[in-house]
Amino acid sequence: MKALFIEVHEAWLATLFTGFMSKTQNKQKLYDFSDILFRHFTWLENDMVKQNIAYDYNRKQVPIKVATLDVMLHDIQKRLTTILELLDSCNDKAITHRMKSDLNYIVSVLKTLPNEEVTSAFDAKREYPNVTLNEEACNALTLFLFEESYKEYELIMVYNYSKANSNDAFLNRIFQILIDESIFHLRSFGQMMSEMGILATPRVLMEEIYKFDDLEQFLKDGIQEEMGAKEACKKLSEAVSANSAEFASFFDFINNQENYHIALMEEALANLNQ
């Protein structure tokens, strides 16, 4: 079961980041399939929680640096075939029946997707299409994307772990909103990394990041982190504003989204303290 869980985690990341490097209609297909794989991941996690099986989010690093998309498409197919072979380790037959159907379909579609050249996602040119960035703005954007893409992955996993291990419907509603928001941010930043030629998968999370005993302190720390993210977006908006009004507007947009995240965590805190 744990091996299956790890394989699905890695396949989700491989599929999502392959979507980032695509510049054709393949992108949306890969995004859709990554969404399905993330749902599989959460279903398996919930099943392990129900069975009191100890688990973590440890995994191997997922290599994605390729010259053509077909290499990753074949890699994903291989990963999904491995998952299919491990499905019997899950005792919930409703889950395994659904996963088997999904995976067989995904593999069949992946075989038909056209190839494309994707070296620009890894060429490290740090140039953004139709935008001229000075060195200061380029450095600021590069640092932001590396830091925040990892941070959004971290938040997805932290909120997901908290949701899986909570029976509080009020809190789980908030956790799900925050998961959805972080997935949107990760997609936005991952796409920008690909455009800049600096695409890379996030490093593995340390267990103590998502396994914690004090939810109240976690939420308080989370509010401070969101405030820090707001400040980072503000600084980046200022750094790129002279070069791109579109960039400045985008990071103001992200900055304002952090306000709602803070409000949600404050709402969760208030619920805990009732």
Short mmCIF file of all heavy atoms in Angstrom, two decimals, residues 27-87:
data_model
loop_
_atom_site.label_atom_id
_atom_site.label_comp_id
_atom_site.label_asym_id
_atom_site.label_seq_id
_atom_site.Cartn_x
_atom_site.Cartn_y
_atom_site.Cartn_z
N LYS A 27 -0.96 20.30 -23.08
CA LYS A 27 -0.89 20.87 -21.73
C LYS A 27 -2.18 20.61 -20.95
O LYS A 27 -2.14 20.13 -19.81
CB LYS A 27 -0.62 22.37 -21.81
CG LYS A 27 -0.54 23.05 -20.45
CD LYS A 27 -0.38 24.56 -20.58
CE LYS A 27 0.93 24.93 -21.21
NZ LYS A 27 2.08 24.55 -20.34
N GLN A 28 -3.33 20.91 -21.54
CA GLN A 28 -4.58 20.76 -20.81
C GLN A 28 -4.87 19.30 -20.49
O GLN A 28 -5.37 18.99 -19.40
CB GLN A 28 -5.74 21.37 -21.60
CG GLN A 28 -7.04 21.44 -20.80
CD GLN A 28 -6.89 22.21 -19.50
OE1 GLN A 28 -6.43 23.35 -19.50
NE2 GLN A 28 -7.25 21.59 -18.38
N LYS A 29 -4.56 18.41 -21.42
CA LYS A 29 -4.74 16.98 -21.15
C LYS A 29 -3.90 16.56 -19.94
O LYS A 29 -4.38 15.84 -19.05
CB LYS A 29 -4.32 16.15 -22.37
CG LYS A 29 -5.27 16.20 -23.54
CD LYS A 29 -6.51 15.36 -23.29
CE LYS A 29 -7.37 15.28 -24.54
NZ LYS A 29 -8.64 14.56 -24.28
N LEU A 30 -2.66 17.00 -19.91
CA LEU A 30 -1.77 16.63 -18.82
C LEU A 30 -2.23 17.24 -17.50
O LEU A 30 -2.14 16.60 -16.44
CB LEU A 30 -0.33 17.04 -19.16
CG LEU A 30 0.29 16.22 -20.29
CD1 LEU A 30 1.50 16.94 -20.88
CD2 LEU A 30 0.69 14.83 -19.79
N TYR A 31 -2.72 18.46 -17.54
CA TYR A 31 -3.28 19.07 -16.33
C TYR A 31 -4.48 18.26 -15.83
O TYR A 31 -4.61 18.01 -14.62
CB TYR A 31 -3.72 20.51 -16.61
CG TYR A 31 -2.62 21.54 -16.62
CD1 TYR A 31 -2.88 22.85 -16.98
CD2 TYR A 31 -1.31 21.21 -16.28
CE1 TYR A 31 -1.88 23.82 -16.99
CE2 TYR A 31 -0.30 22.16 -16.29
CZ TYR A 31 -0.60 23.47 -16.65
OH TYR A 31 0.39 24.42 -16.66
N ASP A 32 -5.35 17.89 -16.75
CA ASP A 32 -6.53 17.11 -16.36
C ASP A 32 -6.12 15.78 -15.73
O ASP A 32 -6.67 15.36 -14.70
CB ASP A 32 -7.42 16.84 -17.58
CG ASP A 32 -8.11 18.09 -18.10
OD1 ASP A 32 -8.16 19.09 -17.37
OD2 ASP A 32 -8.58 18.06 -19.25
N PHE A 33 -5.13 15.13 -16.34
CA PHE A 33 -4.69 13.83 -15.81
C PHE A 33 -3.98 14.00 -14.47
O PHE A 33 -4.10 13.13 -13.59
CB PHE A 33 -3.78 13.14 -16.82
CG PHE A 33 -4.48 12.72 -18.09
CD1 PHE A 33 -3.76 12.53 -19.27
CD2 PHE A 33 -5.85 12.54 -18.12
CE1 PHE A 33 -4.41 12.15 -20.44
CE2 PHE A 33 -6.51 12.16 -19.28
CZ PHE A 33 -5.78 11.97 -20.45
N SER A 34 -3.26 15.09 -14.29
CA SER A 34 -2.60 15.32 -13.00
C SER A 34 -3.65 15.53 -11.91
O SER A 34 -3.47 15.08 -10.77
CB SER A 34 -1.64 16.51 -13.07
OG SER A 34 -2.33 17.74 -13.13
N ASP A 35 -4.75 16.19 -12.25
CA ASP A 35 -5.84 16.36 -11.28
C ASP A 35 -6.41 15.00 -10.86
O ASP A 35 -6.69 14.77 -9.68
CB ASP A 35 -6.97 17.20 -11.88
CG ASP A 35 -6.62 18.68 -11.98
OD1 ASP A 35 -5.67 19.12 -11.30
OD2 ASP A 35 -7.31 19.40 -12.73
N ILE A 36 -6.58 14.11 -11.82
CA ILE A 36 -7.10 12.78 -11.52
C ILE A 36 -6.13 12.03 -10.61
O ILE A 36 -6.53 11.39 -9.63
CB ILE A 36 -7.35 12.00 -12.82
CG1 ILE A 36 -8.52 12.62 -13.59
CG2 ILE A 36 -7.64 10.52 -12.52
CD1 ILE A 36 -8.72 12.04 -14.98
N LEU A 37 -4.85 12.11 -10.92
CA LEU A 37 -3.85 11.41 -10.11
C LEU A 37 -3.78 11.97 -8.69
O LEU A 37 -3.57 11.21 -7.73
CB LEU A 37 -2.48 11.48 -10.79
CG LEU A 37 -2.36 10.66 -12.08
CD1 LEU A 37 -1.07 11.00 -12.82
CD2 LEU A 37 -2.44 9.17 -11.79
N PHE A 38 -3.97 13.27 -8.55
CA PHE A 38 -3.98 13.83 -7.20
C PHE A 38 -5.19 13.32 -6.42
O PHE A 38 -5.09 13.05 -5.21
CB PHE A 38 -3.98 15.36 -7.24
CG PHE A 38 -3.82 15.99 -5.88
CD1 PHE A 38 -2.60 15.95 -5.22
CD2 PHE A 38 -4.90 16.58 -5.24
CE1 PHE A 38 -2.44 16.51 -3.96
CE2 PHE A 38 -4.75 17.15 -3.98
CZ PHE A 38 -3.52 17.11 -3.34
N ARG A 39 -6.31 13.18 -7.09
CA ARG A 39 -7.48 12.61 -6.40
C ARG A 39 -7.19 11.17 -5.98
O ARG A 39 -7.54 10.75 -4.87
CB ARG A 39 -8.72 12.67 -7.31
CG ARG A 39 -9.26 14.07 -7.50
CD ARG A 39 -10.69 14.06 -7.96
NE ARG A 39 -10.86 13.55 -9.30
CZ ARG A 39 -10.75 14.29 -10.41
NH1 ARG A 39 -10.42 15.58 -10.32
NH2 ARG A 39 -10.95 13.76 -11.60
N HIS A 40 -6.55 10.40 -6.85
CA HIS A 40 -6.16 9.03 -6.48
C HIS A 40 -5.28 9.05 -5.23
O HIS A 40 -5.45 8.23 -4.32
CB HIS A 40 -5.37 8.37 -7.62
CG HIS A 40 -6.19 8.07 -8.83
ND1 HIS A 40 -5.65 7.50 -9.96
CD2 HIS A 40 -7.51 8.24 -9.10
CE1 HIS A 40 -6.59 7.33 -10.87
NE2 HIS A 40 -7.73 7.78 -10.38
N PHE A 41 -4.36 9.98 -5.21
CA PHE A 41 -3.44 10.13 -4.08
C PHE A 41 -4.22 10.35 -2.78
O PHE A 41 -3.95 9.71 -1.76
CB PHE A 41 -2.50 11.30 -4.37
CG PHE A 41 -1.51 11.62 -3.29
CD1 PHE A 41 -0.37 10.85 -3.12
CD2 PHE A 41 -1.70 12.72 -2.46
CE1 PHE A 41 0.56 11.15 -2.14
CE2 PHE A 41 -0.78 13.03 -1.48
CZ PHE A 41 0.35 12.24 -1.31
N THR A 42 -5.20 11.24 -2.83
CA THR A 42 -5.97 11.53 -1.61
C THR A 42 -6.86 10.36 -1.21
O THR A 42 -7.05 10.11 -0.02
CB THR A 42 -6.84 12.79 -1.80
OG1 THR A 42 -7.80 12.58 -2.84
CG2 THR A 42 -5.97 14.00 -2.14
N TRP A 43 -7.38 9.63 -2.18
CA TRP A 43 -8.22 8.46 -1.85
C TRP A 43 -7.40 7.39 -1.14
O TRP A 43 -7.85 6.81 -0.15
CB TRP A 43 -8.85 7.88 -3.11
CG TRP A 43 -9.79 8.81 -3.82
CD1 TRP A 43 -10.37 9.94 -3.32
CD2 TRP A 43 -10.22 8.71 -5.18
NE1 TRP A 43 -11.14 10.54 -4.28
CE2 TRP A 43 -11.07 9.81 -5.43
CE3 TRP A 43 -9.97 7.80 -6.21
CZ2 TRP A 43 -11.68 10.02 -6.67
CZ3 TRP A 43 -10.58 8.00 -7.44
CH2 TRP A 43 -11.42 9.10 -7.66
N LEU A 44 -6.21 7.14 -1.66
CA LEU A 44 -5.34 6.15 -1.02
C LEU A 44 -4.94 6.60 0.38
O LEU A 44 -4.89 5.79 1.32
CB LEU A 44 -4.09 5.92 -1.88
CG LEU A 44 -4.32 5.24 -3.24
CD1 LEU A 44 -3.04 5.26 -4.05
CD2 LEU A 44 -4.81 3.80 -3.05
N GLU A 45 -4.67 7.88 0.51
CA GLU A 45 -4.30 8.41 1.82
C GLU A 45 -5.45 8.23 2.81
O GLU A 45 -5.25 7.79 3.95
CB GLU A 45 -3.94 9.89 1.69
CG GLU A 45 -3.51 10.53 3.01
CD GLU A 45 -2.99 11.93 2.83
OE1 GLU A 45 -3.27 12.55 1.77
OE2 GLU A 45 -2.29 12.42 3.73
N ASN A 46 -6.65 8.57 2.38
CA ASN A 46 -7.81 8.42 3.27
C ASN A 46 -8.02 6.96 3.67
O ASN A 46 -8.39 6.67 4.82
CB ASN A 46 -9.07 8.95 2.58
CG ASN A 46 -9.06 10.46 2.43
OD1 ASN A 46 -8.39 11.16 3.18
ND2 ASN A 46 -9.79 10.96 1.45
N ASP A 47 -7.76 6.06 2.75
CA ASP A 47 -7.91 4.63 3.06
C ASP A 47 -6.87 4.20 4.09
O ASP A 47 -7.19 3.42 5.00
CB ASP A 47 -7.76 3.81 1.78
CG ASP A 47 -8.17 2.36 1.98
OD1 ASP A 47 -9.25 2.12 2.55
OD2 ASP A 47 -7.41 1.46 1.57
N MET A 48 -5.65 4.71 3.98
CA MET A 48 -4.63 4.37 4.98
C MET A 48 -4.98 4.95 6.34
O MET A 48 -4.75 4.31 7.37
CB MET A 48 -3.25 4.85 4.51
CG MET A 48 -2.69 4.02 3.37
SD MET A 48 -0.93 4.32 3.04
CE MET A 48 -1.00 5.98 2.40
N VAL A 49 -5.53 6.14 6.35
CA VAL A 49 -5.95 6.74 7.63
C VAL A 49 -7.03 5.88 8.27
O VAL A 49 -6.99 5.61 9.48
CB VAL A 49 -6.45 8.19 7.41
CG1 VAL A 49 -7.11 8.73 8.68
CG2 VAL A 49 -5.30 9.10 7.00
N LYS A 50 -8.00 5.45 7.48
CA LYS A 50 -9.08 4.60 8.01
C LYS A 50 -8.55 3.30 8.59
O LYS A 50 -9.08 2.78 9.57
CB LYS A 50 -10.10 4.29 6.90
CG LYS A 50 -11.03 5.43 6.57
CD LYS A 50 -12.21 4.99 5.71
CE LYS A 50 -11.78 4.52 4.36
NZ LYS A 50 -12.95 4.19 3.48
N GLN A 51 -7.49 2.77 7.98
CA GLN A 51 -6.91 1.50 8.43
C GLN A 51 -5.82 1.68 9.49
O GLN A 51 -5.19 0.71 9.90
CB GLN A 51 -6.33 0.74 7.24
CG GLN A 51 -7.36 0.31 6.21
CD GLN A 51 -6.71 -0.54 5.14
OE1 GLN A 51 -6.20 -1.63 5.42
NE2 GLN A 51 -6.72 -0.05 3.91
N ASN A 52 -5.60 2.94 9.89
CA ASN A 52 -4.54 3.24 10.87
C ASN A 52 -3.16 2.79 10.40
O ASN A 52 -2.34 2.30 11.18
CB ASN A 52 -4.87 2.61 12.23
CG ASN A 52 -6.08 3.24 12.89
OD1 ASN A 52 -6.20 4.46 12.93
ND2 ASN A 52 -6.97 2.41 13.39
N ILE A 53 -2.92 2.95 9.11
CA ILE A 53 -1.61 2.63 8.54
C ILE A 53 -0.74 3.89 8.61
O ILE A 53 -1.11 4.94 8.08
CB ILE A 53 -1.73 2.16 7.08
CG1 ILE A 53 -2.55 0.87 7.00
CG2 ILE A 53 -0.35 1.96 6.45
CD1 ILE A 53 -2.84 0.42 5.57
N ALA A 54 0.40 3.79 9.27
CA ALA A 54 1.31 4.94 9.35
C ALA A 54 1.89 5.21 7.96
O ALA A 54 2.24 4.29 7.23
CB ALA A 54 2.43 4.65 10.34
N TYR A 55 1.98 6.48 7.61
CA TYR A 55 2.49 6.83 6.29
C TYR A 55 3.15 8.20 6.34
O TYR A 55 3.03 8.94 7.32
CB TYR A 55 1.36 6.84 5.25
CG TYR A 55 0.39 7.99 5.41
CD1 TYR A 55 0.55 9.17 4.67
CD2 TYR A 55 -0.67 7.93 6.32
CE1 TYR A 55 -0.33 10.23 4.83
CE2 TYR A 55 -1.54 8.99 6.48
CZ TYR A 55 -1.37 10.14 5.73
OH TYR A 55 -2.22 11.21 5.89
N ASP A 56 3.86 8.52 5.28
CA ASP A 56 4.47 9.85 5.15
C ASP A 56 4.48 10.23 3.68
O ASP A 56 3.98 9.49 2.83
CB ASP A 56 5.88 9.88 5.75
CG ASP A 56 6.79 8.81 5.17
OD1 ASP A 56 6.82 8.68 3.92
OD2 ASP A 56 7.45 8.09 5.94
N TYR A 57 5.06 11.38 3.38
CA TYR A 57 5.11 11.87 2.01
C TYR A 57 6.51 11.72 1.39
O TYR A 57 6.83 12.41 0.42
CB TYR A 57 4.69 13.34 1.95
CG TYR A 57 3.21 13.59 2.19
CD1 TYR A 57 2.77 14.82 2.69
CD2 TYR A 57 2.26 12.62 1.90
CE1 TYR A 57 1.42 15.07 2.89
CE2 TYR A 57 0.91 12.86 2.11
CZ TYR A 57 0.50 14.10 2.61
OH TYR A 57 -0.84 14.34 2.80
N ASN A 58 7.31 10.84 1.95
CA ASN A 58 8.63 10.60 1.37
C ASN A 58 8.49 10.01 -0.03
O ASN A 58 7.57 9.23 -0.29
CB ASN A 58 9.44 9.65 2.26
CG ASN A 58 9.86 10.31 3.56
OD1 ASN A 58 9.97 11.53 3.64
ND2 ASN A 58 10.09 9.50 4.58
N ARG A 59 9.39 10.38 -0.89
CA ARG A 59 9.39 9.90 -2.28
C ARG A 59 10.76 10.12 -2.87
O ARG A 59 11.62 10.77 -2.26
CB ARG A 59 8.36 10.68 -3.10
CG ARG A 59 8.62 12.19 -3.09
CD ARG A 59 7.75 12.96 -4.06
NE ARG A 59 7.92 14.39 -3.91
CZ ARG A 59 8.90 15.12 -4.45
NH1 ARG A 59 9.82 14.52 -5.20
NH2 ARG A 59 8.97 16.42 -4.27
N LYS A 60 10.97 9.58 -4.04
CA LYS A 60 12.21 9.86 -4.77
C LYS A 60 12.04 11.17 -5.54
O LYS A 60 10.91 11.60 -5.83
CB LYS A 60 12.53 8.72 -5.73
CG LYS A 60 12.82 7.39 -5.05
CD LYS A 60 13.30 6.35 -6.03
CE LYS A 60 12.22 5.92 -7.01
NZ LYS A 60 11.14 5.15 -6.37
N GLN A 61 13.16 11.79 -5.87
CA GLN A 61 13.10 12.97 -6.72
C GLN A 61 12.58 12.54 -8.10
O GLN A 61 12.85 11.43 -8.56
CB GLN A 61 14.48 13.61 -6.85
CG GLN A 61 14.49 15.00 -7.47
CD GLN A 61 13.73 16.04 -6.67
OE1 GLN A 61 13.56 15.90 -5.46
NE2 GLN A 61 13.25 17.07 -7.34
N VAL A 62 11.83 13.42 -8.74
CA VAL A 62 11.22 13.09 -10.03
C VAL A 62 11.98 13.84 -11.14
O VAL A 62 11.82 15.05 -11.29
CB VAL A 62 9.73 13.48 -10.05
CG1 VAL A 62 9.11 13.17 -11.42
CG2 VAL A 62 8.97 12.76 -8.94
N PRO A 63 12.82 13.14 -11.91
CA PRO A 63 13.58 13.82 -12.97
C PRO A 63 12.67 14.17 -14.15
O PRO A 63 11.84 13.35 -14.57
CB PRO A 63 14.62 12.78 -13.37
CG PRO A 63 14.03 11.46 -12.99
CD PRO A 63 13.16 11.72 -11.80
N ILE A 64 12.82 15.37 -14.67
CA ILE A 64 11.96 15.80 -15.78
C ILE A 64 12.73 16.48 -16.91
O ILE A 64 12.12 16.86 -17.92
CB ILE A 64 10.86 16.77 -15.29
CG1 ILE A 64 11.50 18.01 -14.63
CG2 ILE A 64 9.89 16.08 -14.34
CD1 ILE A 64 10.52 19.15 -14.39
N LYS A 65 14.03 16.64 -16.78
CA LYS A 65 14.79 17.38 -17.79
C LYS A 65 14.96 16.53 -19.04
O LYS A 65 15.74 15.58 -19.07
CB LYS A 65 16.15 17.82 -17.25
CG LYS A 65 16.89 18.77 -18.19
CD LYS A 65 18.17 19.29 -17.56
CE LYS A 65 18.87 20.27 -18.49
NZ LYS A 65 20.11 20.81 -17.89
N VAL A 66 14.22 16.87 -20.08
CA VAL A 66 14.23 16.11 -21.33
C VAL A 66 14.26 17.08 -22.50
O VAL A 66 14.00 18.28 -22.34
CB VAL A 66 13.00 15.18 -21.44
CG1 VAL A 66 13.01 14.12 -20.35
CG2 VAL A 66 11.70 15.99 -21.40
N ALA A 67 14.54 16.56 -23.68
CA ALA A 67 14.57 17.40 -24.88
C ALA A 67 13.23 17.38 -25.62
O ALA A 67 12.85 18.36 -26.26
CB ALA A 67 15.69 16.95 -25.82
N THR A 68 12.54 16.25 -25.53
CA THR A 68 11.26 16.11 -26.23
C THR A 68 10.21 15.54 -25.29
O THR A 68 10.52 14.75 -24.39
CB THR A 68 11.39 15.21 -27.47
OG1 THR A 68 11.95 13.95 -27.07
CG2 THR A 68 12.27 15.85 -28.53
N LEU A 69 8.97 15.91 -25.52
CA LEU A 69 7.89 15.53 -24.61
C LEU A 69 7.66 14.03 -24.57
O LEU A 69 7.24 13.49 -23.54
CB LEU A 69 6.60 16.25 -25.02
CG LEU A 69 5.48 16.26 -23.97
CD1 LEU A 69 5.81 17.27 -22.88
CD2 LEU A 69 4.13 16.59 -24.60
N ASP A 70 7.91 13.35 -25.68
CA ASP A 70 7.61 11.92 -25.72
C ASP A 70 8.38 11.13 -24.67
O ASP A 70 7.91 10.09 -24.20
CB ASP A 70 7.86 11.35 -27.12
CG ASP A 70 9.32 11.43 -27.55
OD1 ASP A 70 10.01 12.38 -27.16
OD2 ASP A 70 9.76 10.54 -28.29
N VAL A 71 9.55 11.63 -24.27
CA VAL A 71 10.32 10.95 -23.23
C VAL A 71 9.53 10.94 -21.93
O VAL A 71 9.43 9.91 -21.24
CB VAL A 71 11.69 11.61 -23.03
CG1 VAL A 71 12.46 10.92 -21.91
CG2 VAL A 71 12.50 11.58 -24.32
N MET A 72 8.95 12.08 -21.59
CA MET A 72 8.15 12.15 -20.37
C MET A 72 6.83 11.40 -20.51
O MET A 72 6.36 10.78 -19.55
CB MET A 72 7.88 13.61 -19.99
CG MET A 72 9.06 14.32 -19.35
SD MET A 72 9.78 13.46 -17.92
CE MET A 72 8.37 13.36 -16.81
N LEU A 73 6.24 11.45 -21.68
CA LEU A 73 4.99 10.70 -21.89
C LEU A 73 5.21 9.21 -21.68
O LEU A 73 4.39 8.53 -21.06
CB LEU A 73 4.44 10.98 -23.29
CG LEU A 73 4.01 12.43 -23.58
CD1 LEU A 73 3.52 12.55 -25.01
CD2 LEU A 73 2.94 12.89 -22.60
N HIS A 74 6.33 8.70 -22.19
CA HIS A 74 6.66 7.28 -21.98
C HIS A 74 6.97 7.01 -20.51
O HIS A 74 6.59 5.96 -19.97
CB HIS A 74 7.85 6.88 -22.85
CG HIS A 74 7.53 6.80 -24.31
ND1 HIS A 74 8.35 7.31 -25.29
CD2 HIS A 74 6.45 6.30 -24.95
CE1 HIS A 74 7.80 7.10 -26.47
NE2 HIS A 74 6.64 6.50 -26.29
N ASP A 75 7.64 7.96 -19.87
CA ASP A 75 7.95 7.81 -18.44
C ASP A 75 6.67 7.73 -17.62
O ASP A 75 6.55 6.89 -16.72
CB ASP A 75 8.81 8.99 -17.98
CG ASP A 75 9.09 8.95 -16.48
OD1 ASP A 75 9.95 8.16 -16.06
OD2 ASP A 75 8.44 9.72 -15.73
N ILE A 76 5.72 8.60 -17.92
CA ILE A 76 4.45 8.59 -17.18
C ILE A 76 3.70 7.29 -17.42
O ILE A 76 3.14 6.69 -16.49
CB ILE A 76 3.58 9.81 -17.58
CG1 ILE A 76 4.27 11.11 -17.17
CG2 ILE A 76 2.21 9.72 -16.92
CD1 ILE A 76 3.66 12.35 -17.79
N GLN A 77 3.68 6.83 -18.67
CA GLN A 77 3.02 5.55 -18.97
C GLN A 77 3.64 4.41 -18.15
O GLN A 77 2.93 3.56 -17.61
CB GLN A 77 3.14 5.24 -20.46
CG GLN A 77 2.31 6.15 -21.35
CD GLN A 77 2.58 5.90 -22.82
OE1 GLN A 77 2.45 4.77 -23.29
NE2 GLN A 77 2.95 6.93 -23.55
N LYS A 78 4.96 4.42 -18.06
CA LYS A 78 5.65 3.39 -17.28
C LYS A 78 5.27 3.49 -15.81
O LYS A 78 5.02 2.47 -15.14
CB LYS A 78 7.16 3.56 -17.45
CG LYS A 78 7.99 2.48 -16.76
CD LYS A 78 9.48 2.69 -17.02
CE LYS A 78 10.31 1.63 -16.30
NZ LYS A 78 11.77 1.84 -16.55
N ARG A 79 5.19 4.71 -15.30
CA ARG A 79 4.79 4.91 -13.90
C ARG A 79 3.37 4.40 -13.66
O ARG A 79 3.09 3.76 -12.64
CB ARG A 79 4.88 6.40 -13.54
CG ARG A 79 6.30 6.95 -13.48
CD ARG A 79 6.30 8.44 -13.16
NE ARG A 79 7.64 9.00 -13.16
CZ ARG A 79 8.49 8.94 -12.16
NH1 ARG A 79 8.14 8.33 -11.03
NH2 ARG A 79 9.69 9.49 -12.24
N LEU A 80 2.48 4.70 -14.59
CA LEU A 80 1.09 4.28 -14.42
C LEU A 80 0.95 2.76 -14.52
O LEU A 80 0.11 2.16 -13.84
CB LEU A 80 0.20 4.97 -15.45
CG LEU A 80 0.18 6.51 -15.40
CD1 LEU A 80 -0.88 7.06 -16.34
CD2 LEU A 80 -0.04 7.02 -13.98
N THR A 81 1.76 2.14 -15.36
CA THR A 81 1.75 0.68 -15.45
C THR A 81 2.19 0.06 -14.12
O THR A 81 1.61 -0.94 -13.66
CB THR A 81 2.68 0.22 -16.59
OG1 THR A 81 2.21 0.75 -17.82
CG2 THR A 81 2.71 -1.30 -16.68
N THR A 82 3.19 0.67 -13.50
CA THR A 82 3.63 0.19 -12.18
C THR A 82 2.51 0.33 -11.15
O THR A 82 2.29 -0.57 -10.33
CB THR A 82 4.87 0.98 -11.72
OG1 THR A 82 5.94 0.78 -12.65
CG2 THR A 82 5.31 0.54 -10.32
N ILE A 83 1.81 1.45 -11.20
CA ILE A 83 0.69 1.65 -10.28
C ILE A 83 -0.38 0.58 -10.48
O ILE A 83 -0.91 0.01 -9.51
CB ILE A 83 0.09 3.06 -10.47
CG1 ILE A 83 1.09 4.13 -10.00
CG2 ILE A 83 -1.23 3.21 -9.70
CD1 ILE A 83 0.70 5.54 -10.37
N LEU A 84 -0.70 0.29 -11.73
CA LEU A 84 -1.69 -0.75 -12.02
C LEU A 84 -1.27 -2.10 -11.43
O LEU A 84 -2.10 -2.85 -10.91
CB LEU A 84 -1.88 -0.87 -13.53
CG LEU A 84 -2.72 0.23 -14.19
CD1 LEU A 84 -2.52 0.23 -15.70
CD2 LEU A 84 -4.19 0.06 -13.84
N GLU A 85 0.02 -2.37 -11.47
CA GLU A 85 0.53 -3.65 -10.94
C GLU A 85 0.46 -3.70 -9.42
O GLU A 85 0.44 -4.79 -8.84
CB GLU A 85 1.98 -3.85 -11.40
CG GLU A 85 2.10 -4.08 -12.91
CD GLU A 85 3.54 -4.03 -13.39
OE1 GLU A 85 4.43 -3.66 -12.57
OE2 GLU A 85 3.79 -4.35 -14.56
N LEU A 86 0.41 -2.53 -8.78
CA LEU A 86 0.39 -2.47 -7.31
C LEU A 86 -1.01 -2.29 -6.72
O LEU A 86 -1.16 -2.26 -5.50
CB LEU A 86 1.28 -1.31 -6.83
CG LEU A 86 2.79 -1.44 -7.07
CD1 LEU A 86 3.49 -0.12 -6.76
CD2 LEU A 86 3.37 -2.56 -6.22
N LEU A 87 -2.01 -2.17 -7.57
CA LEU A 87 -3.35 -1.85 -7.08
C LEU A 87 -3.90 -2.89 -6.10
O LEU A 87 -4.70 -2.55 -5.22
CB LEU A 87 -4.32 -1.69 -8.25
CG LEU A 87 -4.30 -0.34 -8.97
CD1 LEU A 87 -5.34 -0.32 -10.08
CD2 LEU A 87 -4.55 0.81 -8.00
#
